[in-house]
Amino acid sequence: MRKSLITFAALAVSAAASAQSSLTLFGVADSAISHYSVKSAFYNNTLALPPASALAFAEVTRSQTALSSGANSSSRIGFRGTEDLGGGLAAGFWLESGITQDSGATALATFSRRSTVSLSGGFGELRLGRDYVPTYWNESVFDPMGAVGVGENLIKSISGNIATARGPGSAIAANDNAIRASNSIGYFLPRNLGGFYGQVMYALPETVKYSYLSDSPSQRGRYYGGRFGYTSGPFDVAVAYGKSTAADTLVISEAGVVAGTRLSEQLRTINLGASYDFGFLKLMGELSQVKDKAETTTAPLSAGRRTFTDNDEYNGAMIGMTVPVGAGVLKASYARVKFKNDQSSAAPALQALDRDASVNKLALGYVHNLSKRTALYATVARARIKNGQNNPAIMAVGLGGPAFASTGAGVAGLAPRSATGYDFGLRHAF
């Protein structure tokens, strides 16, 4: 009898709550059999060939076959809800966690994909918490592969590598401020603007200010950006800009000691994406540029302060398409990213050499819809890397598999050259 009363009370509370608000459980379960293969080749930037050895002109291949997660759509589980506040206002929340589908290892308590609370109305939406940064939307929305799996947008891969290698990173994700940002304040335009849409975001660095330190607080981790676009019928176009502070060290430490150097580094991203749906064919593409601007200032002043700058660029372009075929859809994309090294930052002995690098990537895929929520899919991709020894931490795109063999520090050794991969999987959304 007691259990019946408890159950009845719970149902009554649930019914009362549902009259004012809504709660939705959603997610994606996506697993694939994936194969990855990466190849490195011998290079030599010395003036004379090294002594003959088994390494000279050699190639090294590493491969792996795995049961992967989220190769067509990121595996996840989430909860979202809204409450009608009256007068056109609504409060909402969104908690979303990634899932490692092949092992189930990710804890539900970690809502690292999105964790926001919002207030919306005729003015638009104010959103607080962890969310996608504006520049990432163009890398995802205008990618026929959905920015996941072996075929994911090459521009997105490079952007994530830059953030991981340069910072700021966090305990939540090494590529923070490239895909998502924590501690963010976001504003979205209302949806009734005749096809125009947009958003702005500011992410707090949450660093401490010390009254006795002239150059505090550090701005490391700060992000701000925006995205604005227009859609009408089959046409959609958007431009986005973002700036992330990857490093901002203090000249004077908390103990009052003058540091040896001060490093300031900022990553600036601008991209443009567009698509047009002809019905039988949907074309899409993206142009992108990331500037990595670093400035190092020596100390102390008594020794003669000097400032060194290093301004690198990553210029990318991607074109893709989707073609409906019966119950399925064919997908294809081709992308290229060019790394332009600031020659002033190179060691004098290497300034005469080509310090740039580039990556080309071709991806093909097919998704067969068994229902509105379930699909089988297959994707294959290949990337080719030129002069990978110049910037292997960022330009060595391995499609999700094992790391490249990379040696020689740009002088002589093994450099990343190519990567291939495929996914065969099953996706179910709920």
Side-chain angles (χ1 to χ4, degrees):
M1 180 65 178
R2 184 180 179 183
K3 291 183 178 180
S4 298
L5 290 174
I6 293 175
T7 302
F8 177 79
L11 290 173
V13 171
S14 177
S18 65
Q20 304 175 42
S21 61
S22 65
L23 175 64
T24 302
L25 168 67
F26 67 94
V28 175
D30 184 325
S31 290
I33 299 173
S34 300
H35 181 79
Y36 316 99
S37 177
V38 295
K39 181 181 293 185
S40 299
F42 180 77
Y43 72 96
N44 175 43
N45 282 333
T46 61
L47 297 178
L49 287 174
S53 69
L55 180 62
F57 307 110
E59 291 185 343
V60 173
T61 299
R62 295 174 176 176
S63 61
Q64 179 187 24
T65 300
L67 186 64
S68 62
S69 175
N72 179 258
S73 183
S74 298
S75 295
R76 74 199 84 160
I77 188 168
F79 308 87
R80 59 175 180 258
T82 60
E83 181 187 13
D84 187 353
L85 301 176
L89 290 177
F93 77 93
W94 191 303
L95 300 174
E96 184 175 331
S97 172
I99 298 175
T100 307
Q101 182 64 32
D102 53 323
S103 65
T106 301
L108 294 178
T110 307
F111 295 106
S112 58
R113 285 184 56 86
R114 178 172 166 181
S115 176
T116 62
V117 63
S118 63
L119 185 67
S120 59
F123 62 89
E125 180 185 0
L126 178 66
R127 190 182 295 177
L128 308 176
R130 180 173 174 81
D131 203 358
Y132 286 122
V133 298
T135 48
Y136 172 72
W137 284 111
N138 285 347
E139 296 173 354
S140 175
V141 171
F142 300 109
D143 176 19
M145 302 298 173
V148 292
V150 297
E152 78 170 2
N153 190 346
L154 177 64
I155 296 172
K156 178 233 177 179
S157 300
I158 296 295
S159 296
N161 288 350
I162 296 170
T164 299
R166 302 302 184 206
S170 74
I172 302 298
N175 59 7
D176 265 1
N177 291 7
I179 298 178
R180 298 176 178 86
S182 297
N183 318 313
S184 73
I185 304 167
Y187 168 71
F188 294 76
L189 292 173
R191 299 181 180 180
N192 57 350
L193 298 179
F196 290 96
Y197 59 89
Q199 69 174 111
V200 292
M201 172 187 278
Y202 178 78
L204 297 164
E206 295 192 347
T207 49
V208 178
K209 179 177 176 60
Y210 301 94
S211 61
Y212 51 89
L213 299 181
S214 59
D215 55 351
S216 79
S218 169
Q219 296 302 309
R220 182 178 184 271
R222 183 179 67 173
Y223 174 93
Y224 62 83
R227 178 176 183 254
F228 298 93
Y230 174 75
T231 180
S232 177
F235 178 67
D236 190 7
V237 62
V239 62
Y241 174 83
K243 182 177 179 181
S244 172
T245 302
D248 185 27
T249 58
L250 303 182
V251 174
I252 304 176
S253 70
E254 294 183 38
V257 178
V258 178
T261 59
R262 172 170 183 166
L263 174 63
S264 175
E265 186 168 10
Q266 296 178 340
L267 304 176
R268 300 179 182 179
T269 301
I270 183 169
N271 56 34
L272 172 68
S275 65
Y276 193 94
D277 193 345
F278 294 93
F280 67 92
L281 170 71
K282 183 176 183 179
L283 286 177
M284 56 190 71
E286 181 192 359
L287 296 174
S288 174
Q289 182 182 78
V290 179
K291 289 188 176 182
D292 180 4
K293 295 189 173 184
E295 185 176 281
T296 303
T297 303
T298 63
L301 293 173
S302 58
R305 173 166 285 191
R306 297 181 63 188
T307 298
F308 302 91
T309 60
D310 187 356
N311 301 320
D312 296 335
E313 288 186 9
Y314 300 82
N315 297 298
M318 186 275 295
I319 186 170
M321 65 178 181
T322 60
V323 181
V325 180
V329 58
L330 288 170
K331 301 180 177 183
S333 69
Y334 176 78
R336 173 179 169 83
V337 174
K338 170 77 172 180
F339 164 62
K340 184 178 180 181
N341 190 7
D342 184 0
Q343 293 293 331
S344 64
S345 64
L350 299 176
Q351 285 185 1
L353 300 175
D354 182 4
R355 305 298 297 166
D356 299 342
S358 63
V359 185
N360 300 314
K361 182 177 179 179
L362 175 65
L364 302 171
Y366 174 71
V367 178
H368 184 77
N369 297 304
L370 300 175
S371 70
K372 291 183 178 180
R373 298 188 300 166
T374 305
L376 297 170
Y377 63 87
T379 308
V380 61
R382 179 170 175 80
R384 292 188 62 84
I385 305 163
K386 181 180 180 181
N387 293 328
Q389 71 275 4
N390 291 337
N391 193 356
I394 296 173
M395 302 302 285
V397 177
L399 310 184
F404 287 89
S406 181
T407 63
V411 179
L414 291 170
R417 284 293 180 265
S418 65
T420 58
Y422 64 74
D423 299 315
F424 294 103
L426 171 65
R427 183 204 71 219
H428 176 75
F430 57 91

